Amino acid sequence: MMEEQKVIVTIARQYGSGGKTIGQMLAEDLGIPCYSREILRMASEDSGINEMLFNQADEKLKGMHLFKAAKGAYKGKVIPPESDGFVSNDNLFNYQAKIIRELAEKESCVFIGRCADFVLKDKPNVVSVFVHAPKDYCLQRALERSSMSEREMLKFMAKTDKFRSDYYQYYTGRNWLDAQNYDLCLNSSKLGFEKCVEEIKAYIKVRFS
């Protein structure tokens, strides 16, 4: 099936739900690339803007409370180097979006986060997935991979999901938790990772057969 036509899978996920792992497992199963933070490096190479600025923009945005001021800031175009806004947060996002669109044009692949579902919303071959799970499940998974206390982790999880939600709303004008944004919403605590992968594959098969 993957040889016949390109299929792009975008994965948005709550912290601790295992969405990134599911995306990586899916990509490995299908024999296609999986892109996450690599997008920042590629956007840096494409734009000539230091990769550190892309990482700093993420950190800077975490401290902002102005997200809801902009609705759908992404318009699909990059700002040229001679312009004042060349290294603005919005243009750094524009370059990431440019890379996502170019990769989606070239090959089947999986994208983790980075508002890829919105960036590629006009493409007919995109499957958008949201992976979620109850707080207790996410907490237990997160604690297995961290030395934080339970209280610290709960705080970190809430902060991370709030940032993802705000980031998504800022660049798309949409509510991150709205099921209407996605083709599939999967509860990883009920299915487990392997069955989540099987669900996504089954959906691809049914939809594109």
Side-chain angles (χ1 to χ4, degrees):
M1 183 274 307
M2 297 305 292
E3 285 74 29
E4 292 165 26
Q5 70 177 117
K6 289 196 297 286
V7 176
I8 312 300
V9 180
T10 69
I11 296 191
R13 74 282 183 221
Q14 286 182 311
Y15 188 84
S17 67
K20 184 176 183 179
T21 304
I22 289 164
Q24 291 167 333
M25 287 169 64
L26 174 71
E28 196 173 330
D29 195 303
L30 295 175
I32 61 177
C34 179
Y35 297 104
S36 179
R37 291 191 69 83
E38 300 87 347
I39 300 290
L40 300 183
R41 176 183 53 77
M42 296 163 96
S44 167
E45 288 169 3
D46 186 64
S47 62
I49 298 170
N50 193 310
E51 186 180 346
M52 200 167 64
L53 287 178
F54 284 89
N55 288 305
Q56 283 172 357
D58 273 10
E59 289 307 313
K60 231 190 307 179
L61 288 170
K62 281 179 185 173
M64 281 170 61
H65 300 289
L66 304 171
F67 276 115
K68 290 166 185 65
K71 293 272 182 186
Y74 172 65
K75 299 287 189 292
K77 289 187 178 162
V78 295
I79 299 168
E82 62 277 10
S83 302
D84 289 344
F86 183 59
V87 293
S88 65
N89 291 339
D90 287 353
N91 203 39
L92 295 177
F93 180 85
N94 292 343
Y95 267 104
Q96 292 174 59
K98 178 175 182 270
I99 295 297
I100 288 168
R101 291 180 73 86
E102 286 172 358
L103 289 169
E105 208 56 55
K106 193 175 73 174
E107 61 189 353
S108 293
C109 55
V110 176
F111 291 109
I112 311 290
R114 320 247 48 108
C115 304
D117 59 292
F118 183 81
V119 170
L120 301 172
K121 69 183 189 303
D122 56 342
K123 303 279 185 197
N125 61 330
V126 174
V127 174
S128 55
V129 181
F130 186 81
V131 180
H132 62 98
K135 190 194 284 184
D136 287 353
Y137 175 85
C138 293
L139 176 63
Q140 289 315 311
R141 274 204 72 254
L143 285 172
E144 285 166 13
R145 297 171 294 133
S146 168
S147 57
M148 286 187 203
S149 69
E150 193 168 304
R151 191 176 170 186
E152 286 170 333
M153 181 54 79
L154 280 168
K155 208 170 165 184
F156 181 77
M157 282 167 56
K159 190 178 173 186
T160 303
D161 281 343
K162 183 177 187 316
F163 170 67
R164 288 177 181 175
S165 177
D166 288 348
Y167 185 92
Y168 188 83
Q169 181 160 353
Y170 182 79
Y171 286 115
T172 71
R174 293 176 172 184
N175 178 351
W176 184 60
L177 292 172
D178 186 347
Q180 292 182 78
N181 298 331
Y182 310 101
D183 297 311
L184 284 176
C185 292
L186 301 175
N187 183 335
S188 57
S189 73
K190 290 186 175 173
L191 289 172
F193 293 0
E194 284 179 15
K195 284 184 180 169
C196 281
V197 170
E198 292 307 314
E199 277 292 320
I200 299 168
K201 283 167 61 184
Y203 178 88
I204 290 171
K205 191 175 180 183
V206 170
R207 182 166 148 196
F208 297 111
S209 62

